[in-house]
Amino acid sequence: MTTTLTPTPTPTPTPTPPAGPAAAAPRAAATTWHDVCALADLEPLWGEAARVAGRQVALYRVDAATVLAADHRDPRTGACVMARGILGSRGSAVTVASPLHKEVYDLATGSCLTGDGPALPVHPAEVRDGRVLVALPA
């Protein structure tokens, strides 16, 4: 089941980059951090969709304290379904498989791992004081 989460409307800017898997995510020159939800709102190993600054984002809680974020829009079809994807792994990479055509994407880089398909835009995410924050281009 996918639940739409409503983020706190005030962006939280910060110069501190995230550590861990999200640190490898490509990012634009200027980003704004957004407080999206409480960590407790996300189930482990499950995707949830959130509207953040007018953009649909898929959030994946991969363990007790790690959340990864990507666009909710499937890069091949344009359908907003990526939060319904299947989490998995390839080696040390955390992956998500699109629920439509089963393309597999690396959630740290957005690379399509099943051919030459388009990349999935990924976003830096971190957990601070029990809150999930996502950085999007300003």
Coordinates of all heavy atoms in Angstrom, one line a residue, residues 11-97:
P11 N 10.9 24.7 3.9 CA 12.1 24.1 3.6 C 13.2 24.3 4.7 O 13.2 25.3 5.4 CB 12.6 24.7 2.3 CG 11.5 25.5 1.8 CD 10.5 25.7 3.0
T12 N 14.1 23.4 4.9 CA 15.1 23.5 5.9 C 16.5 23.5 5.2 O 17.0 22.5 4.9 CB 15.1 22.3 6.9 OG1 13.8 22.2 7.4 CG2 16.1 22.4 8.0
P13 N 17.0 24.7 4.9 CA 18.3 24.8 4.2 C 19.4 24.4 5.2 O 19.4 24.7 6.4 CB 18.4 26.2 3.8 CG 17.5 27.0 4.6 CD 16.4 26.0 5.1
T14 N 20.4 23.8 4.7 CA 21.6 23.4 5.5 C 22.8 23.2 4.6 O 22.6 22.6 3.5 CB 21.4 22.2 6.4 OG1 22.5 22.0 7.1 CG2 21.0 21.0 5.6
P15 N 24.0 23.5 5.0 CA 25.2 23.2 4.2 C 25.7 21.9 4.4 O 26.6 21.4 3.8 CB 26.1 24.3 4.6 CG 25.8 24.6 6.0 CD 24.3 24.4 6.1
T16 N 25.2 21.1 5.4 CA 25.8 19.9 5.8 C 25.3 18.8 4.8 O 24.1 18.5 4.7 CB 25.3 19.5 7.2 OG1 25.7 20.5 8.1 CG2 26.0 18.2 7.7
P17 N 26.3 18.1 4.1 CA 25.9 17.0 3.2 C 25.6 15.8 4.0 O 26.1 15.6 5.1 CB 27.1 16.9 2.3 CG 28.2 17.3 3.2 CD 27.7 18.4 4.1
P18 N 24.7 14.9 3.5 CA 24.5 13.6 4.2 C 25.6 12.7 4.1 O 26.5 12.8 3.2 CB 23.3 13.1 3.4 CG 23.4 13.7 2.1 CD 24.0 15.0 2.3
A19 N 25.7 11.8 5.1 CA 26.7 10.7 5.0 C 26.0 9.4 4.6 O 24.8 9.3 4.5 CB 27.3 10.5 6.4
G20 N 26.8 8.5 4.2 CA 26.3 7.1 3.9 C 25.9 7.1 2.4 O 26.4 7.8 1.6
P21 N 25.0 6.1 2.0 CA 24.7 5.9 0.6 C 24.2 7.1 -0.1 O 24.5 7.3 -1.3 CB 23.6 4.8 0.7 CG 23.7 4.2 2.0 CD 24.3 5.3 2.9
A22 N 23.5 8.0 0.5 CA 23.0 9.2 -0.2 C 24.1 10.1 -0.6 O 23.9 11.0 -1.4 CB 21.9 9.9 0.7
A23 N 25.2 10.1 0.1 CA 26.3 11.0 -0.2 C 26.8 10.8 -1.7 O 27.3 11.7 -2.3 CB 27.5 10.8 0.7
A24 N 26.6 9.6 -2.2 CA 27.1 9.3 -3.6 C 26.1 9.8 -4.6 O 26.4 9.8 -5.8 CB 27.3 7.8 -3.8
A25 N 24.9 10.2 -4.2 CA 23.9 10.7 -5.2 C 24.3 11.9 -5.9 O 24.8 12.9 -5.3 CB 22.6 10.9 -4.4
P26 N 24.1 12.0 -7.2 CA 24.4 13.2 -7.9 C 23.5 14.3 -7.5 O 22.3 14.1 -7.1 CB 24.1 12.8 -9.4 CG 23.4 11.5 -9.4 CD 23.6 10.9 -8.0
R27 N 24.0 15.5 -7.4 CA 23.2 16.6 -6.9 C 23.4 17.9 -7.7 O 24.5 18.1 -8.3 CB 23.3 16.9 -5.5 CG 24.7 17.0 -5.0 CD 24.8 17.4 -3.5 NE 24.9 16.3 -2.7 CZ 24.8 16.3 -1.4 NH1 24.5 17.4 -0.8 NH2 24.9 15.3 -0.7
A28 N 22.4 18.7 -7.8 CA 22.6 20.0 -8.5 C 23.5 20.9 -7.7 O 23.7 20.7 -6.5 CB 21.2 20.6 -8.7
A29 N 23.9 22.0 -8.3 CA 24.8 22.9 -7.6 C 24.1 23.5 -6.4 O 24.8 23.7 -5.4 CB 25.2 24.0 -8.6
A30 N 22.9 23.9 -6.4 CA 22.2 24.5 -5.3 C 21.0 23.6 -4.9 O 20.1 23.3 -5.8 CB 21.7 25.9 -5.6
T31 N 20.9 23.2 -3.7 CA 19.8 22.3 -3.2 C 19.2 22.9 -2.0 O 19.8 23.7 -1.3 CB 20.2 20.9 -2.9 OG1 21.2 20.9 -1.9 CG2 20.8 20.2 -4.1
T32 N 18.0 22.6 -1.7 CA 17.2 23.0 -0.5 C 16.8 21.7 0.2 O 16.2 20.8 -0.4 CB 16.0 23.9 -0.9 OG1 16.5 25.0 -1.6 CG2 15.3 24.3 0.4
W33 N 17.0 21.7 1.5 CA 16.6 20.5 2.3 C 15.2 20.7 2.7 O 14.8 21.9 3.2 CB 17.5 20.4 3.5 CG 18.9 19.8 3.1 CD1 20.0 20.5 2.7 CD2 19.2 18.4 3.0 NE1 21.0 19.6 2.4 CE2 20.5 18.3 2.6 CE3 18.5 17.2 3.2 CZ2 21.2 17.1 2.3 CZ3 19.1 16.0 3.0 CH2 20.5 16.0 2.6
H34 N 14.4 19.7 2.7 CA 13.0 19.7 3.0 C 12.7 18.7 4.1 O 13.1 17.5 4.0 CB 12.1 19.5 1.8 CG 12.3 20.4 0.7 ND1 11.6 21.6 0.6 CD2 13.1 20.4 -0.4 CE1 12.0 22.3 -0.5 NE2 12.9 21.5 -1.1
D35 N 12.0 19.1 5.2 CA 11.6 18.2 6.2 C 10.3 17.5 5.7 O 9.3 18.2 5.5 CB 11.3 19.0 7.5 CG 10.9 18.1 8.7 OD1 10.4 17.0 8.5 OD2 11.1 18.6 9.8
V36 N 10.4 16.2 5.5 CA 9.3 15.5 4.8 C 8.4 14.8 5.8 O 7.1 14.9 5.7 CB 9.9 14.5 3.8 CG1 8.7 13.7 3.1 CG2 10.7 15.2 2.8
C37 N 8.9 14.0 6.7 CA 8.1 13.2 7.6 C 8.9 12.7 8.8 O 10.1 12.9 8.8 CB 7.4 12.1 6.9 SG 8.6 10.8 6.3
A38 N 8.3 12.1 9.7 CA 9.0 11.4 10.8 C 9.5 10.1 10.3 O 8.8 9.4 9.5 CB 8.1 11.2 12.0
L39 N 10.7 9.6 10.8 CA 11.2 8.3 10.4 C 10.2 7.2 10.7 O 10.0 6.3 10.0 CB 12.5 8.1 11.1 CG 13.2 6.7 10.8 CD1 13.5 6.6 9.3 CD2 14.4 6.6 11.7
A40 N 9.5 7.4 11.8 CA 8.5 6.4 12.3 C 7.3 6.2 11.3 O 6.6 5.2 11.3 CB 8.0 6.7 13.7
D41 N 7.1 7.2 10.4 CA 6.1 7.2 9.4 C 6.4 6.2 8.3 O 5.5 5.8 7.5 CB 5.8 8.5 8.8 CG 5.2 9.5 9.7 OD1 4.6 9.1 10.7 OD2 5.3 10.7 9.5
L42 N 7.6 5.8 8.2 CA 8.1 4.9 7.1 C 8.3 3.5 7.6 O 9.0 3.3 8.6 CB 9.4 5.4 6.5 CG 9.3 6.8 5.9 CD1 10.7 7.2 5.4 CD2 8.3 6.9 4.8
E43 N 7.8 2.5 6.9 CA 8.0 1.1 7.2 C 9.3 0.6 6.7 O 9.6 1.0 5.5 CB 6.9 0.2 6.7 CG 5.6 0.3 7.4 CD 4.6 -0.7 6.9 OE1 5.0 -1.9 6.8 OE2 3.5 -0.3 6.5
P44 N 10.1 -0.2 7.4 CA 11.3 -0.7 6.9 C 11.1 -1.5 5.6 O 10.1 -2.3 5.5 CB 11.9 -1.5 8.0 CG 11.3 -1.0 9.2 CD 9.9 -0.5 8.8
L45 N 12.0 -1.4 4.6 CA 12.0 -2.2 3.4 C 10.7 -2.0 2.6 O 10.2 -2.9 1.9 CB 12.2 -3.6 3.7 CG 13.5 -3.9 4.4 CD1 13.6 -5.4 4.8 CD2 14.7 -3.5 3.6
W46 N 10.2 -0.7 2.6 CA 8.9 -0.4 1.9 C 9.0 1.0 1.4 O 9.7 1.9 1.9 CB 7.8 -0.5 2.9 CG 6.4 -0.5 2.3 CD1 5.6 0.6 2.2 CD2 5.7 -1.6 1.7 NE1 4.4 0.2 1.6 CE2 4.5 -1.2 1.3 CE3 6.1 -3.0 1.6 CZ2 3.6 -2.0 0.7 CZ3 5.2 -3.8 1.0 CH2 3.9 -3.3 0.5
G47 N 8.4 1.3 0.2 CA 8.4 2.6 -0.4 C 7.2 3.4 0.0 O 6.1 2.8 0.1
E48 N 7.3 4.7 0.1 CA 6.2 5.6 0.3 C 6.4 6.8 -0.6 O 7.5 7.2 -0.9 CB 6.2 6.1 1.8 CG 5.8 5.0 2.8 CD 4.4 4.5 2.8 OE1 3.5 5.1 2.1 OE2 4.1 3.5 3.4
A49 N 5.3 7.3 -1.1 CA 5.3 8.5 -1.9 C 5.1 9.7 -1.1 O 4.3 9.7 -0.2 CB 4.3 8.4 -3.0
A50 N 5.8 10.8 -1.5 CA 5.6 12.1 -0.8 C 5.7 13.2 -1.8 O 6.4 13.1 -2.8 CB 6.6 12.3 0.3
R51 N 4.9 14.2 -1.6 CA 5.0 15.4 -2.5 C 5.9 16.4 -1.8 O 5.5 16.9 -0.7 CB 3.6 16.0 -2.8 CG 3.6 17.0 -3.8 CD 2.1 17.3 -4.2 NE 1.9 17.8 -5.5 CZ 2.2 17.3 -6.7 NH1 2.9 16.2 -6.8 NH2 1.9 17.9 -7.8
V52 N 7.0 16.7 -2.4 CA 8.0 17.6 -1.7 C 8.3 18.7 -2.7 O 8.8 18.5 -3.8 CB 9.3 16.8 -1.4 CG1 10.3 17.7 -0.7 CG2 9.0 15.6 -0.6
A53 N 7.9 20.0 -2.2 CA 8.1 21.2 -3.0 C 7.6 21.0 -4.5 O 8.2 21.3 -5.4 CB 9.6 21.5 -3.1
G54 N 6.4 20.4 -4.5 CA 5.7 20.2 -5.8 C 6.2 19.0 -6.7 O 5.7 18.8 -7.8
R55 N 7.1 18.3 -6.1 CA 7.7 17.1 -6.8 C 7.3 15.8 -6.1 O 7.4 15.7 -4.9 CB 9.2 17.3 -6.9 CG 9.9 16.3 -7.7 CD 11.4 16.6 -7.7 NE 12.1 15.8 -8.7 CZ 13.1 16.3 -9.4 NH1 13.7 17.4 -9.2 NH2 13.7 15.5 -10.3
Q56 N 7.0 14.8 -6.9 CA 6.7 13.5 -6.3 C 7.9 12.7 -6.1 O 8.7 12.5 -7.0 CB 5.7 12.7 -7.2 CG 4.3 13.4 -7.2 CD 3.3 12.4 -7.8 OE1 3.3 11.2 -7.5 NE2 2.3 13.0 -8.5
V57 N 8.2 12.3 -4.8 CA 9.4 11.6 -4.4 C 9.0 10.3 -3.8 O 8.0 10.2 -3.0 CB 10.2 12.5 -3.4 CG1 11.4 11.8 -2.9 CG2 10.6 13.8 -4.1
A58 N 9.8 9.3 -4.1 CA 9.6 8.0 -3.4 C 10.7 7.9 -2.3 O 11.9 8.1 -2.6 CB 9.8 6.8 -4.4
L59 N 10.2 7.5 -1.1 CA 11.1 7.3 0.0 C 11.2 5.9 0.4 O 10.2 5.2 0.4 CB 10.6 8.1 1.2 CG 10.4 9.6 1.0 CD1 9.7 10.2 2.2 CD2 11.7 10.3 0.8
Y60 N 12.4 5.4 0.6 CA 12.6 4.0 1.0 C 13.4 3.9 2.3 O 14.6 4.4 2.3 CB 13.4 3.3 -0.1 CG 12.8 3.4 -1.5 CD1 13.3 4.4 -2.4 CD2 11.8 2.5 -1.9 CE1 12.7 4.5 -3.6 CE2 11.3 2.7 -3.2 CZ 11.7 3.6 -4.0 OH 11.2 3.8 -5.3
R61 N 12.8 3.3 3.3 CA 13.5 3.1 4.6 C 14.2 1.8 4.4 O 13.5 0.7 4.5 CB 12.5 3.1 5.7 CG 13.2 3.0 7.1 CD 12.3 3.2 8.2 NE 13.0 2.9 9.5 CZ 12.4 3.0 10.6 NH1 11.1 3.3 10.7 NH2 13.0 2.8 11.7
V62 N 15.5 1.8 4.3 CA 16.2 0.5 4.1 C 16.7 -0.2 5.3 O 17.1 -1.4 5.3 CB 17.4 0.7 3.1 CG1 16.9 1.1 1.7 CG2 18.4 1.7 3.6
D63 N 16.8 0.5 6.5 CA 17.1 -0.1 7.7 C 16.6 0.8 8.8 O 15.9 1.8 8.6 CB 18.6 -0.4 7.9 CG 19.5 0.8 7.8 OD1 19.1 1.9 8.1 OD2 20.7 0.6 7.3
A64 N 17.1 0.6 10.1 CA 16.6 1.4 11.2 C 16.8 2.9 11.1 O 16.1 3.7 11.7 CB 17.2 0.8 12.5
A65 N 17.9 3.3 10.4 CA 18.2 4.7 10.4 C 18.5 5.3 9.0 O 19.0 6.4 8.9 CB 19.3 5.0 11.3
T66 N 18.3 4.5 7.9 CA 18.7 5.0 6.6 C 17.5 5.1 5.7 O 16.7 4.1 5.6 CB 19.7 4.0 5.9 OG1 20.8 3.8 6.8 CG2 20.2 4.5 4.6
V67 N 17.3 6.2 5.1 CA 16.3 6.4 4.1 C 16.9 6.9 2.8 O 17.8 7.8 2.8 CB 15.3 7.5 4.6 CG1 14.2 7.8 3.5 CG2 14.6 7.0 5.9
L68 N 16.5 6.3 1.7 CA 17.0 6.8 0.4 C 15.8 7.4 -0.4 O 14.6 7.0 -0.1 CB 17.5 5.6 -0.4 CG 18.7 4.8 0.2 CD1 19.1 3.6 -0.6 CD2 19.9 5.8 0.4
A69 N 16.1 8.3 -1.3 CA 15.0 9.0 -2.0 C 15.3 9.0 -3.5 O 16.4 9.2 -3.9 CB 14.9 10.4 -1.5
A70 N 14.2 8.9 -4.3 CA 14.3 9.0 -5.7 C 13.0 9.6 -6.2 O 12.0 9.7 -5.5 CB 14.5 7.6 -6.3
D71 N 13.0 9.9 -7.5 CA 11.7 10.4 -8.1 C 10.7 9.3 -8.0 O 11.1 8.1 -8.2 CB 11.9 10.8 -9.6 CG 12.4 12.2 -9.7 OD1 12.7 12.9 -8.7 OD2 12.4 12.7 -10.9
H72 N 9.5 9.6 -7.8 CA 8.4 8.6 -7.8 C 8.0 8.3 -9.3 O 7.4 7.2 -9.5 CB 7.2 9.2 -7.1 CG 6.0 8.3 -6.9 ND1 6.2 7.0 -6.5 CD2 4.7 8.6 -7.0 CE1 5.0 6.5 -6.4 NE2 4.1 7.4 -6.7
R73 N 8.4 9.1 -10.2 CA 8.1 8.9 -11.6 C 9.0 7.9 -12.3 O 10.2 8.0 -12.2 CB 8.2 10.2 -12.4 CG 7.7 10.2 -13.8 CD 7.6 11.6 -14.5 NE 6.8 12.5 -13.7 CZ 5.5 12.6 -13.8 NH1 4.8 11.8 -14.5 NH2 4.8 13.5 -13.1
D74 N 8.5 6.8 -12.9 CA 9.2 5.8 -13.6 C 9.9 6.5 -14.8 O 9.2 7.1 -15.6 CB 8.3 4.7 -14.0 CG 9.0 3.6 -14.7 OD1 9.6 3.8 -15.8 OD2 8.9 2.4 -14.3
P75 N 11.2 6.4 -14.9 CA 11.9 7.1 -16.0 C 11.6 6.6 -17.4 O 11.7 7.3 -18.4 CB 13.4 6.9 -15.7 CG 13.5 5.8 -14.7 CD 12.2 5.7 -14.0
R76 N 11.1 5.4 -17.5 CA 10.8 4.8 -18.8 C 9.4 5.2 -19.3 O 9.2 5.5 -20.4 CB 11.0 3.3 -18.8 CG 10.7 2.7 -20.2 CD 10.9 1.2 -20.2 NE 12.3 0.9 -20.0 CZ 13.2 0.7 -21.0 NH1 12.9 0.9 -22.2 NH2 14.4 0.4 -20.7
T77 N 8.4 5.1 -18.3 CA 7.0 5.3 -18.7 C 6.4 6.6 -18.3 O 5.4 7.0 -18.9 CB 6.1 4.2 -18.1 OG1 6.1 4.3 -16.7 CG2 6.7 2.8 -18.5
G78 N 7.0 7.3 -17.3 CA 6.5 8.5 -16.8 C 5.4 8.3 -15.8 O 4.9 9.3 -15.2
A79 N 5.0 7.1 -15.5 CA 4.0 6.8 -14.5 C 4.6 7.0 -13.1 O 5.7 6.6 -12.8 CB 3.4 5.4 -14.7
C80 N 3.8 7.5 -12.2 CA 4.2 7.7 -10.8 C 4.0 6.5 -10.0 O 2.9 6.3 -9.4 CB 3.5 8.9 -10.2 SG 4.1 10.5 -10.9
V81 N 5.0 5.5 -10.0 CA 4.8 4.2 -9.4 C 6.0 3.7 -8.7 O 6.0 2.6 -8.1 CB 4.5 3.2 -10.5 CG1 3.1 3.5 -11.2 CG2 5.6 3.1 -11.5
M82 N 7.1 4.5 -8.6 CA 8.4 3.9 -8.1 C 8.3 3.6 -6.6 O 9.0 2.7 -6.2 CB 9.6 4.8 -8.4 CG 9.9 4.9 -9.9 SD 10.1 3.3 -10.7 CE 11.6 2.8 -9.9
A83 N 7.5 4.2 -5.8 CA 7.3 3.9 -4.4 C 6.8 2.5 -4.3 O 6.9 1.9 -3.2 CB 6.5 4.9 -3.7
R84 N 6.1 2.0 -5.3 CA 5.6 0.6 -5.3 C 6.6 -0.4 -5.8 O 6.3 -1.6 -5.9 CB 4.3 0.5 -6.2 CG 3.2 1.4 -5.6 CD 2.0 1.2 -6.5 NE 0.9 2.1 -6.0 CZ -0.1 2.3 -6.7 NH1 -0.3 1.8 -7.9 NH2 -1.1 3.1 -6.1
G85 N 7.8 0.0 -6.1 CA 8.8 -0.9 -6.6 C 9.3 -1.9 -5.6 O 9.0 -1.7 -4.4
I86 N 10.0 -2.9 -6.0 CA 10.5 -3.9 -5.1 C 12.0 -3.6 -4.7 O 12.8 -3.5 -5.6 CB 10.5 -5.3 -5.8 CG1 9.0 -5.6 -6.1 CG2 11.1 -6.4 -4.9 CD1 8.8 -6.8 -7.0
L87 N 12.2 -3.4 -3.4 CA 13.6 -3.2 -3.0 C 14.4 -4.4 -3.0 O 13.9 -5.5 -2.8 CB 13.6 -2.6 -1.5 CG 13.2 -1.2 -1.4 CD1 13.1 -0.8 0.1 CD2 14.1 -0.2 -2.1
G88 N 15.7 -4.3 -3.3 CA 16.6 -5.4 -3.4 C 18.0 -5.0 -3.3 O 18.3 -3.9 -2.8
S89 N 18.9 -5.8 -3.8 CA 20.3 -5.4 -3.8 C 21.1 -6.1 -4.9 O 20.7 -7.2 -5.4 CB 21.0 -5.7 -2.4 OG 21.0 -7.1 -2.2
R90 N 22.1 -5.5 -5.3 CA 23.1 -6.1 -6.3 C 24.5 -5.8 -5.7 O 24.9 -4.7 -5.7 CB 23.0 -5.5 -7.6 CG 21.7 -5.9 -8.3 CD 22.0 -6.3 -9.7 NE 20.7 -6.7 -10.3 CZ 20.4 -6.6 -11.6 NH1 21.2 -6.0 -12.4 NH2 19.3 -7.1 -12.1
G91 N 25.1 -6.8 -5.1 CA 26.3 -6.6 -4.4 C 26.0 -5.7 -3.2 O 25.1 -6.0 -2.4
S92 N 26.7 -4.6 -3.0 CA 26.5 -3.7 -1.9 C 25.5 -2.6 -2.3 O 25.1 -1.8 -1.4 CB 27.8 -3.1 -1.4 OG 28.4 -2.3 -2.5
A93 N 25.0 -2.6 -3.5 CA 24.1 -1.5 -3.9 C 22.7 -1.9 -3.5 O 22.2 -3.0 -3.8 CB 24.2 -1.4 -5.4
V94 N 22.0 -0.9 -3.0 CA 20.5 -1.0 -2.7 C 19.8 -0.7 -4.0 O 20.1 0.4 -4.6 CB 20.1 -0.1 -1.5 CG1 18.6 -0.2 -1.3 CG2 20.9 -0.4 -0.3
T95 N 18.9 -1.5 -4.4 CA 18.2 -1.3 -5.7 C 16.7 -1.2 -5.5 O 16.1 -1.7 -4.5 CB 18.5 -2.4 -6.6 OG1 18.1 -3.7 -6.1 CG2 20.0 -2.5 -6.9
V96 N 16.0 -0.7 -6.5 CA 14.6 -0.8 -6.6 C 14.2 -1.2 -8.0 O 14.9 -0.8 -9.0 CB 13.9 0.5 -6.3 CG1 14.2 1.6 -7.2 CG2 12.4 0.4 -6.1
A97 N 13.3 -2.2 -8.1 CA 12.8 -2.6 -9.5 C 11.5 -1.9 -9.7 O 10.6 -1.9 -8.9 CB 12.6 -4.1 -9.5

